Amino acid sequence: MGKPLKLGIIGCGAIIGQYLASFRRLPDLELVAVADLDLKRAQAVAEQYDGVRAVTVEELLAADDVELVVNLTIPAAHAEVALKVIAAGKGVYGEKPLAATTAEARQVLDAAGEAGVAVGCAPDTVLGTGIQTARKAIDDGLIGAPISATATMATPGHERWHPNPDFYYQPGGGPLLDMGPYYVTALVTLLGPVVSVMGAASHTRSERTIGSGPRQGEKVPVNIDSHVTGVLTHASGALSTLVMSFDAVKSKSPNIEIHGELGSLIVPDPNHFDGDVQLFTLDAGGWETLPVSAGYLDSGRGFGIADLAATPPGREPRAGGTLAYHVLEVMESVLESARTGSSVRIESTVERPEGVELATLAQQADALQAR
């Protein structure tokens, strides 16, 4: 509290650019070092950011001026890197998912608890004005008691644009574990924790063809299900239907739609921080766009880290490890149900994260510290 949280980053792939853009706008965060297994990639990042040094992973973990490490490695390495960070006595904030499996994620949370360090995890898109305005509409009773939701993500596959899409089609990848964190985190934020799931899954092709970059035309094997459907039962009784696909070409379905006793909401893309929220009620008889009424204004990837920095000790940050673990268990259980054909009960639970009032992050930080 009162001074910038000093950060290091491990993993200098494509996503780092979005974090760097946010860090430049967040005075409560100070990036001091970056590391990558390929030191040249870290050096290229450091050259773009004044006051940042490129170091090896070992040097970053040993650095006295790094308080929290942002883990931007590939999903298969999330747990291994997080455990090393925690063993070095530093907090960790990871890209989604928290780990490749719930067993690994449990190790991360247990280690952090023993070490007394914070764990945060993307996605923090739910802190923006899009999801938060929808949440406030639900909390204010504009649709009555929630009954159900649908969440749809349809794309013909990331190999069309990603130059190295291999990991999307290996265990730990796939449409659910890749894009599902945005949708399931949003559903939990809107409707609360999940208590059981049913799932079904399929795949249409045994290999994919890279469509861009130096490997264009190369074949990539598919070793995961590339189309996944799940039905989530929330503790509130609401039912969410989830469709995550790397096989479907396109969809006109809303990214997320929430239905209640009195009305329905169209919720914007949970992969973004903003977007229009539309409401239909029986009284109005038509769709209306709601004014922006909640969430961090002008937010971007990395705002969850600043929210973590502003969260008083002993309180769970909004983009915290407990929520990320619950979301991962939900997704893993959908895939387990798809394999077994049986309903799977969710063992973990989580408090619905506190809503974000409409404000800049600095205003929210002042409010949190005043508590």
Side-chain angles (χ1 to χ4, degrees):
M1 295 291 185
K3 63 178 182 178
L5 179 67
K6 294 187 176 182
L7 307 177
I9 295 177
I10 296 178
C12 296
I15 193 66
I16 195 172
Q18 296 184 49
Y19 281 87
L20 295 179
S22 293
F23 292 165
R24 295 180 195 277
R25 301 189 289 123
L26 295 169
D28 289 335
L29 301 179
E30 180 183 354
L31 181 63
V32 298
V34 293
D36 193 279
L37 292 177
D38 182 351
L39 186 57
K40 290 182 179 179
R41 292 211 302 181
Q43 290 169 338
V45 170
E47 290 172 0
Q48 304 171 32
Y49 206 108
D50 291 341
V52 175
R53 64 187 186 275
V55 296
T56 67
V57 172
E58 292 73 20
E59 289 170 337
L60 189 146
L61 293 175
D64 292 335
D65 62 343
V66 173
E67 299 172 285
L68 182 139
V69 174
V70 184
N71 181 5
L72 302 184
T73 59
I74 63 172
H78 283 180
E80 178 184 358
V81 172
L83 289 170
K84 289 180 179 179
V85 171
I86 293 166
K90 306 179 190 302
V92 62
Y93 180 97
E95 251 303 323
K96 50 77 186 172
L98 181 59
T101 67
T102 53
E104 291 181 349
R106 184 75 266 161
Q107 292 177 359
V108 171
L109 294 185
D110 289 347
E114 292 176 7
V117 299
V119 175
C121 188
D124 52 2
T125 48
V126 293
L127 306 182
T129 55
I131 300 301
Q132 289 295 321
T133 293
R135 176 195 170 127
K136 188 174 189 302
I138 294 171
D139 291 350
D140 288 349
L142 298 189
I143 65 169
I147 299 169
S148 67
T150 58
T152 305
M153 190 287 300
T155 174
H158 291 350
E159 75 280 0
R160 296 171 63 86
W161 58 267
H162 199 294
N164 295 293
D166 310 60
F167 69 94
Y168 289 116
Y169 299 102
Q170 300 303 314
L176 183 58
L177 290 177
D178 175 47
M179 296 299 295
Y182 299 107
Y183 289 80
V184 178
T185 302
L187 290 171
V188 172
T189 297
L190 295 168
L191 300 175
V194 176
V195 294
S196 67
V197 303
M198 284 286 294
S202 64
H203 66 274
T204 58
R205 284 166 278 171
S206 60
E207 62 182 18
R208 302 289 180 117
T209 303
I210 298 177
S212 64
R215 299 173 61 198
Q216 185 173 0
E218 184 178 329
K219 303 292 185 181
V220 174
V222 176
N223 294 314
I224 47 84
D225 284 317
S226 47
H227 184 99
V228 182
T229 298
V231 177
L232 320 180
T233 300
H234 296 263
S236 64
L239 300 177
S240 291
T241 302
L242 189 69
V243 177
M244 300 282 110
S245 183
F246 282 168
D247 291 337
V249 174
K250 198 69 175 176
S251 173
K252 291 184 70 175
S253 299
N255 296 101
I256 297 177
E257 199 167 40
I258 310 290
H259 304 289
E261 293 176 319
L262 304 177
S264 297
L265 283 175
I266 293 177
V267 182
D269 188 344
N271 193 19
H272 297 160
F273 286 82
D274 53 12
D276 290 338
V277 177
Q278 294 183 287
L279 171 69
F280 186 103
T281 62
L282 292 173
D283 291 339
W287 291 101
E288 62 174 311
T289 299
L290 296 179
V292 172
S293 59
Y296 289 138
L297 292 163
D298 301 320
S299 50
R301 280 174 169 77
F303 268 60
I305 303 171
D307 183 270
L308 182 153
T311 301
R315 291 186 59 190
E316 181 76 6
R318 290 184 176 98
T322 303
L323 173 59
Y325 180 89
H326 181 69
V327 168
L328 178 58
E329 186 187 356
V330 169
M331 296 188 299
E332 191 177 74
S333 297
V334 168
L335 295 175
E336 180 184 348
S337 175
R339 288 192 298 269
T340 64
S342 301
S343 174
V344 177
R345 182 156 190 84
I346 305 301
E347 299 298 329
S348 67
T349 191
V350 63
E351 291 290 330
R352 193 165 168 243
E354 185 177 2
V356 180
E357 295 182 4
L358 183 63
T360 65
L361 185 63
Q363 292 169 328
Q364 280 286 318
D366 289 342
L368 283 168
Q369 293 181 37
R371 290 189 171 186

